[in-house]
Amino acid sequence: MNELISIKDLSIRSATEMLVDSLSLTLTQGEPLTILGETGSGKSLLAQAIMGTLPAGLICQGYLALNHQSMTANERRQYWGRYLSMLPQEPWQSLDPVMQSREQVAEVYREVLAYSSADALKATQIQLQQLGLADIQHKLPSQLSGGMAQRLAFAAATAAGANIIIADEPTKGLDTRQRDGIVQLLKLQTKDGGLLTITHDVAVAKQLGGRIIVMRHGKVVEQGTACSVLTKPHAEYTKQLIAAAPCYWTEVAAKNCHQPLLTVNNLTQQRNGKTLFRDLSFTVHSGEIIGLYGDSGCGKSTLGDTLLGLLAPNSGEIEWHAKVPRHQKLKLYQDPPSSFSPAASLQTLLEDVVRHHGLKAEQIPPLLQELTLSPRLLMRTSHDVSGGELQRIALLRAMLLSPKLLVADEPTSRLDPITAKQIILLLVKAARQQQCALLLISHDETQLKKVCDQIIYLQDYARENVTVHPV
C-alpha cells in the first residue's frame, strides 16, 4: 500500500510538560486510520503537528513525512489544499460567517486551482448538488444546521482535490443521522486517498473501520484493526472507553415525583415561519428527569428556552404551580466555554455569583469535592481547563443557586464517553438531591432511556401529536 503519512517517534512538548510522547504511525492509501481517545489526550495536537499549525511555544521533534518526503512545518503548508487538507472540530472555525455558502467553496476553486469565476461557480454547484446542499447556496453559515455546515466545510476542504484528509472530531455535536452522513462522506475519501480521523466517539471509530490507535495522556496505549481493538481490547483504558457507551450503563432507578412544578398546555412554537411542534402538553415534577429527544432542528433547544421564559410561545401556556425566581430557572450549555468569560479566573466568576445573589462562599468547597474537582482549578481561566472540568464547574455554579428547573442542552455532546457518563450521572444525582426538575436534551436516545423518568419525542417541523413516553 502507498504510504501517505509516515510518523516515527514524534514528541510534542511545552516548556513544562510532555504532551505527545514518542508516537509512531503510518497512514496508507485506502485504509482509514482513527485516533481514539478522551479529551486532552493529545489527539488534536497530532493533527496540528501534521498540518504545521502547532501553537507558538510548543516544540515538535521526530520524523514526519508526506509521501515518503520528510519536510518542515513550513514546507508542509505548501501542500495545503491540493494534497493535504483538514476538517476542523467545529465547521464554524473554517467557514466565513459573512460569506454565502457557495462562495465558501468557489473561493477554493479560484484561489487554489486558478479557475475562472464562471468555472468555479459551475464546479461548486455540481459539488454542492452531490452533497445534498443545492438549496443552501445563498445561505450564511449561521442559517445552516450543524450537519449542513459540516458538509459545507467538507466541500471546501476537498474542492482542490487533496488526497489526504485529516478530520478532527468531525461529528462532534451532531445527531445520529447527521453523524452517520458525515462518516459516509469521510469513508468515500479512502477510495483513492487517505483519511486520518480524530475522535472520542467509539461508534464513529467502528463505522470507519480500518485501523485504530488509542491514545491517553499523549501516549499510545493500544493499536490494531478496528475489529480487534473494539471487540477484544487489551488495554484497561480501552475497555473503560468502550464500556462508557450508554448502552452499557446501569439504568438509574426512577424517582416517585409527586409535587408538580409546571404544566405545559397545548404549546405551539414556530421559527422562521415553520411550526416546530404544536399542541404539546406535559407536566414537570420537582426532582423529575425528563428527556427531550429528536434530530437537529426539531425544536429541542427552542422548547427548553420557552420553558425558561427566554422565548414566548406562539400559542398555548405554561402554568407554574409555585413561584420560582428567575435565577432558579437555569440552563447548562452544550459548549461550556460559551458560558464563561476567559478574562477572569473561575474563582472570581464563582465569587461574583455568590456576591450578586447573597449566597455563602462556604458552599463551594463541598460542591467541589462532590463533583471531584480540585480547588486548584479555580485559579485558572475557562481556557485553561478541560471541557469535562469546565462542564462540572458550570454544574457547580448552577447548584450554588439551588435551581428548581435546569435545562441541560446537549451537555455532553462535546465530551469523551468516560467524561460524558460522569457528567450525566452527576446531573441526575444533583437534580434528585436538590429536588430540581431536569430537562435533559440529547441526540442519544439510549442515554436518555438509561436515566430519565419520561422522554418527550420531537420530530422535524410540525406533527399533529407529540407524545410523552414513560421510560
Side-chain angles (χ1 to χ4, degrees):
M1 289 187 181
N2 182 25
E3 291 187 3
L4 302 177
I5 297 179
S6 301
I7 295 177
K8 296 179 182 178
D9 298 323
L10 183 75
S11 296
I12 303 171
R13 59 184 175 84
S14 67
T16 58
E17 61 181 323
M18 184 70 71
L19 303 173
V20 175
D21 191 3
S22 301
L23 182 144
S24 298
L25 64 83
T26 300
L27 177 67
T28 58
Q29 182 177 345
E31 184 179 47
L33 176 62
T34 302
I35 311 295
L36 184 64
E38 64 187 8
T39 304
S41 62
K43 308 186 303 298
S44 294
L45 287 176
L46 171 62
Q48 292 172 332
I50 296 172
M51 294 298 296
T53 58
L54 277 173
L58 296 186
I59 300 171
C60 182
Q61 295 177 318
Y63 175 81
L64 199 162
L66 298 182
N67 202 21
H68 302 286
Q69 295 182 14
S70 177
M71 56 189 73
T72 66
N74 285 333
E75 290 172 336
R76 289 195 296 277
R77 294 188 182 195
Q78 305 303 314
Y79 286 78
W80 287 2
R82 292 177 179 270
Y83 185 77
L84 179 65
S85 191
M86 184 169 177
L87 194 61
Q89 289 191 21
E90 305 286 353
W92 327 112
Q93 293 176 352
S94 61
L95 299 175
D96 189 325
V98 297
M99 184 183 289
Q100 289 184 355
S101 295
R102 72 176 186 179
E103 187 59 24
Q104 312 261 1
V105 182
E107 182 180 56
V108 178
Y109 284 111
R110 290 195 308 269
E111 300 300 326
V112 180
L113 299 181
Y115 278 28
S116 67
S117 294
D119 288 342
L121 181 58
K122 184 178 179 179
T124 296
Q125 290 173 333
I126 293 173
Q127 189 176 17
L128 294 183
Q129 178 75 39
Q130 292 172 340
L131 294 174
L133 298 174
D135 296 334
I136 61 97
Q137 295 190 48
H138 300 289
K139 292 185 177 181
L140 297 175
S142 60
Q143 297 172 303
L144 305 179
S145 69
M148 287 181 176
Q150 192 63 293
R151 275 183 284 161
L152 179 62
F154 178 85
T158 57
N163 67 336
I164 300 177
I165 296 294
I166 300 175
D168 188 4
E169 297 285 4
T171 62
K172 189 164 67 171
L174 301 182
D175 61 51
T176 302
R177 178 171 56 86
Q178 293 176 333
R179 179 199 69 190
D180 294 346
I182 294 298
V183 169
Q184 292 307 310
L185 285 178
L186 293 174
K187 289 178 72 173
L188 291 174
Q189 178 65 27
T190 61
K191 288 186 176 181
D192 300 312
L195 173 66
L196 174 61
T197 305
I198 291 166
T199 185
H200 60 243
D201 192 327
V202 175
V204 169
K206 183 176 181 180
Q207 288 185 60
L208 288 172
R211 295 187 60 80
I212 289 178
I213 293 176
V214 182
M215 287 183 65
R216 189 186 190 194
H217 301 325
K219 295 183 178 181
V220 174
V221 298
E222 187 165 357
Q223 59 181 306
T225 65
C227 181
S228 64
V229 170
L230 298 180
T231 59
K232 297 179 181 179
H234 297 292
E236 186 60 34
Y237 171 71
T238 309
K239 295 176 183 178
Q240 293 173 6
L241 200 62
I242 296 171
C247 59
Y248 299 113
W249 294 8
T250 301
E251 291 189 15
V252 176
K255 179 79 171 181
N256 292 324
C257 307
H258 301 293
Q259 188 67 36
L261 178 68
L262 63 91
T263 298
V264 174
N265 294 306
N266 299 317
L267 195 68
T268 296
Q269 193 62 282
Q270 298 177 337
R271 184 175 61 198
N272 298 326
K274 295 182 179 180
T275 299
L276 297 175
F277 49 84
R278 64 161 62 92
D279 299 329
L280 175 60
S281 299
F282 60 95
T283 298
V284 179
H285 299 81
S286 297
E288 186 176 23
I289 316 299
I290 296 181
L292 192 53
Y293 175 78
D295 290 342
S296 294
C298 72
K300 300 187 302 297
S301 296
T302 298
L303 176 56
D305 289 345
T306 303
L307 295 181
L308 291 170
L310 301 176
L311 293 174
N314 289 104
S315 65
E317 63 176 4
I318 301 172
E319 178 187 359
W320 287 85
H321 300 287
K323 187 175 181 180
V324 178
R326 179 69 192 88
H327 69 273
Q328 290 185 315
K329 303 173 186 176
L330 300 177
K331 186 172 184 176
L332 199 62
Y333 289 86
Q334 182 179 34
D335 185 25
S338 66
S339 60
F340 287 89
S341 169
S345 70
L346 295 168
Q347 178 75 47
T348 297
L349 297 178
L350 289 178
E351 288 174 350
D352 286 346
V353 173
V354 169
R355 182 173 57 256
H356 182 74
H357 293 283
L359 306 175
K360 295 181 179 179
E362 290 79 12
Q363 293 176 268
I364 296 178
L367 286 174
L368 285 170
Q369 185 174 4
E370 186 175 347
L371 296 173
T372 62
L373 289 166
S374 169
R376 293 192 298 273
L377 291 177
L378 299 187
M379 299 299 106
R380 305 178 186 176
T381 69
S382 58
H383 284 177
D384 298 320
V385 297
S386 71
E389 290 167 337
L390 192 58
Q391 194 64 296
R392 276 182 282 167
I393 291 170
L395 178 55
L396 183 152
R397 182 175 59 184
M399 291 170 66
L400 280 174
L401 296 167
S402 300
K404 299 301 181 185
L405 173 64
L406 180 60
V407 175
D409 192 354
E410 292 282 0
T412 63
S413 67
R414 284 165 165 76
L415 304 178
D416 63 82
I418 294 174
T419 307
K421 181 179 180 180
Q422 294 171 346
I423 293 295
I424 291 296
L425 296 182
L426 284 170
L427 269 170
V428 172
K429 180 181 177 181
R432 298 295 199 207
Q433 287 179 343
Q434 296 198 3
Q435 280 297 286
C436 167
L438 173 63
L439 185 69
L440 183 57
I441 298 173
S442 178
H443 290 138
D444 193 328
E445 184 181 12
T446 303
Q447 181 189 88
L448 296 179
K449 286 183 175 180
K450 293 291 185 177
V451 300
C452 294
D453 300 309
Q454 58 175 318
I455 300 175
I456 300 172
Y457 288 82
L458 295 180
Q459 301 300 321
D460 286 342
Y461 306 108
R463 283 186 56 187
E464 292 299 328
N465 296 297
V466 181
T467 56
V468 178
H469 299 260
V471 176

